[in-house]
Amino acid sequence: MRNYTLLNEFILLGIPHTQGLETLLFVVFLFIYFFTLLGNSLIFTAIVSSSTLHTPMYFFLGLLSIFDMLFPSVTCPKMLLYLSGQSSSISYKGCAAQLFFYHLLGSTEGCLYSVMACDRYVAICHPLRYMLIMKPGVCVSLVTIACSVGFLHATILTSFTFHLVYCASNQVDYFFCDLPAVLPLACSDSRLAQKVGSINVGILALMFVFSISFSYAHIGIAILRIRSAEGREKAFSTCSAHLTAILCAYGPVIIIYLQRTPNPLLNALMQILNNIVSPMLNALIYSLRNKEVKRSLRRVFHTLVEMFRN
């Protein structure tokens, strides 16, 4: 038996090649994080407070707003702490929790995008049966399945990663605990964990891409069959915001995986876009491109103004 001195904490080295820019990055990320929380909380409030938005489409949008507040909260607060000069260390359990919730929320949100694509498919391709198909029980079941998939995915990755022995270097060459940054630090053989992680992430990505592509291929055909230009424009406008959000979420990830030679700085920038910037953009996309949400937001603002006046 070999004697190991097990690690009880890791040191996050931060974003590669950004030494000396800590103050600037702190201000930028603090603004983005604050705007993300504010924008998504306003959208959620607008949906809850308006009875006209109590439909399956806005039920999913409200859940997406919640996930867009939780997802960046996994990595951003700790990053803001060490950018402000605080300790960059994270406990062993904290690192495991960060990895777990990062993959739980990320994969669940990916499932939710697929569910929203399915919702748009039913709304446009089967409009007369939309409310019959997308009943409240069906919507809740779809969300439950999405959360279950995310929980299973995160549990598998976290179990395989932290079942390994970590006893040597504790310096994580990244700004949060993720598989590619943590596994190289293991003292025991990590090949199985790397293989399981790649297969798991690959299968989920293929499922998301296939389901979204299937839904929007049928949606595109249905829109082209609409004779009136007004009808086509209305149908397209209901999907454009969702498609834009999907591109903002998956675009950075696609860039990471299409690189021939990994670039640490580019990977970190793409992860920042995916983890922090994309949730903020979702709030802008759905508030600026959706007339119903904009009307509800105006009512919320008027209510808040009246409250402060009184």
Side-chain angles (χ1 to χ4, degrees), residues 29-302:
F29 292 139
L30 180 63
F31 171 79
I32 293 174
Y33 184 53
F34 173 77
F35 193 87
T36 298
L37 296 181
L38 177 64
N40 283 289
S41 60
L42 284 174
I43 289 178
F44 181 75
T45 304
I47 291 171
V48 171
S49 62
S50 177
S51 58
T52 59
L53 300 183
H54 293 175
T55 63
M57 174 184 172
Y58 294 105
F59 169 70
F60 297 131
L61 179 56
L63 286 175
L64 181 64
S65 296
I66 294 174
F67 282 109
D68 280 339
M69 289 186 281
L70 295 176
F71 187 49
S73 298
V74 175
T75 58
C76 201
K78 182 61 183 176
M79 183 170 64
L80 289 173
L81 273 177
Y82 65 70
L83 286 174
S84 65
Q86 303 296 317
S87 174
S88 61
S89 64
I90 183 170
S91 68
Y92 184 88
K93 291 182 179 179
C95 188
Q98 196 176 57
L99 189 146
F100 175 80
F101 284 106
Y102 172 75
H103 285 279
L104 168 66
L105 295 169
S107 55
T108 303
E109 190 166 341
C111 288
L112 190 58
Y113 280 123
S114 297
V115 169
M116 292 174 74
C118 177
D119 171 73
R120 293 299 83 209
Y121 161 72
V122 176
I124 292 174
C125 298
H126 305 283
L128 300 179
R129 293 188 293 161
Y130 175 65
M131 295 306 298
L132 182 64
I133 296 173
M134 301 301 293
K135 295 182 291 187
V138 173
C139 295
V140 172
S141 297
L142 290 171
V143 173
T144 303
I145 292 170
C147 292
S148 300
V149 170
F151 179 80
L152 181 63
H153 169 72
T155 301
I156 291 172
L157 295 190
T158 307
S159 300
F160 273 88
T161 302
F162 288 93
H163 179 71
L164 301 172
V165 177
Y166 295 89
C167 60
S169 174
N170 68 339
Q171 295 188 338
V172 179
D173 193 16
Y174 215 42
F175 63 97
F176 72 101
C177 291
D178 197 12
L179 292 175
V182 173
L183 286 178
L185 304 178
C187 296
S188 50
D189 190 355
S190 63
R191 285 177 295 180
L192 179 60
Q194 290 173 343
K195 188 176 293 185
V196 169
S198 299
I199 292 172
N200 222 13
V201 172
I203 289 174
L204 270 184
L206 286 174
M207 287 171 54
F208 297 157
V209 170
F210 176 78
S211 60
I212 293 170
S213 300
F214 176 84
S215 297
Y216 275 98
H218 284 78
I219 288 171
I221 294 170
I223 290 175
L224 291 175
R225 288 176 178 173
I226 299 174
R227 295 183 178 180
S228 67
E230 183 181 353
R232 285 195 299 270
E233 183 180 353
K234 184 179 179 180
F236 180 75
S237 66
T238 62
C239 301
S240 59
H242 183 228
L243 274 174
T244 306
I246 290 173
L247 289 174
C248 290
Y250 290 118
V253 178
I254 291 171
I255 291 173
I256 291 172
Y257 284 101
L258 286 181
Q259 292 180 87
R260 292 185 178 179
T261 54
N263 185 315
L265 178 58
L266 179 61
N267 287 352
L269 292 175
M270 292 300 103
Q271 284 284 20
I272 288 168
L273 284 174
N274 183 51
N275 300 1
I276 302 170
V277 179
S278 179
M280 178 192 69
L281 292 177
N282 281 351
L284 286 172
I285 291 165
Y286 283 109
S287 60
L288 295 178
R289 296 186 65 86
N290 193 299
K291 295 179 181 178
E292 289 82 1
V293 172
K294 282 194 287 188
R295 279 198 292 265
S296 185
L297 282 173
R298 290 192 194 100
R299 287 195 292 269
V300 171
F301 280 125
H302 288 316

